Amino acid sequence: MSAKAAAKIPAKSPWSVPVRRDDVPETGLHLDLVADEATRAAVAGVAGVNGLPRLAARFDLVRQGGGLKVTGEIAATIEQTCVVTLEPMTSEVREPVDLAFVAARGEERVQEAEEDLDPGAEEEPEPLVDGVADLGVLATEFLLLAIDPYPRKPGAVFDAPVSQTELSPFAVLRNLSTGKAEG
């Protein structure tokens, strides 16, 4: 999780689905999560979007050393405003998740758990807090990172006003040096 995404999530996350590492069977656990209307409204507020008609996640959890390996996907429908036309728009987000959680009790255990991790993993491991991984918080964080901060409707093109392109700073300077009037 990036510091930027963490800074957007309030101390009490709008979506919480805690899973204890000890409750995950040795064979693994599959979870399909669907956020209710109140949760989607709260996450939309945190994300700064107009609406979130759909927010779901599917996760596969596997014990890994003293921690957990979580893989899956976040899927959402996001209502935003186009930065070009200022019209409402809807976009779909599908964000893959591949993250490890390590035991957070004592620095030695964290280091031991990190040795069991995939060295090629893209994400830094997250700590298990009291043996718990909160999948709702995880889904919210990945969603926040996936939302386009400058959404644009398909085919929307910004056309600069003609007067600005004709009167570039260089054209104004050229007109002043030749004595021509602006415009």
Side-chain angles (χ1 to χ4, degrees):
M1 169 184 69
S2 75
K4 183 179 177 183
K8 288 184 172 183
I9 298 178
K12 184 177 182 320
S13 177
W15 195 13
S16 182
V17 183
V19 176
R20 297 193 62 72
R21 181 210 178 267
D22 294 342
D23 293 340
V24 175
E26 290 294 329
T27 57
L29 177 66
H30 176 82
L31 293 173
D32 289 313
L33 308 175
V34 177
D36 62 25
E37 186 176 344
T39 300
R40 291 191 318 269
V43 172
V46 170
V49 297
N50 300 342
L52 203 54
R54 182 176 65 92
L55 175 56
R58 73 173 168 74
F59 293 118
D60 291 307
L61 291 81
V62 180
R63 288 185 182 199
Q64 186 176 43
L68 286 173
K69 176 75 171 176
V70 180
T71 57
E73 182 179 69
I74 310 303
T77 302
I78 302 167
E79 295 174 345
Q80 294 176 281
T81 302
C82 174
V83 297
V84 176
T85 65
L86 302 179
E87 297 173 347
M89 63 176 283
T90 302
S91 58
E92 297 292 323
V93 169
R94 297 186 87 76
E95 186 68 17
V97 174
D98 187 353
L99 189 65
F101 285 85
V102 295
R105 294 185 200 127
E107 192 63 34
E108 294 170 12
R109 288 193 61 191
V110 171
Q111 289 175 354
E112 288 172 14
E114 286 179 349
E115 291 172 6
D116 294 334
L117 297 176
D118 176 11
E122 292 182 26
E123 297 285 334
E124 290 279 324
E126 292 287 322
L128 283 174
V129 179
D130 296 326
V132 175
D134 194 325
L135 300 182
V137 171
L138 174 67
T140 303
E141 291 171 355
F142 273 78
L143 175 68
L144 291 175
L145 292 171
I147 292 174
D148 184 353
Y150 305 105
R152 184 182 290 217
K153 288 180 101 171
V157 178
F158 177 73
D159 292 323
V162 177
S163 62
Q164 289 181 358
T165 57
E166 290 178 344
L167 292 178
S168 73
F170 299 108
V172 171
L173 288 174
R174 184 174 45 250
N175 290 342
L176 286 174
S177 67
T178 59
K180 292 182 182 178
E182 294 179 32

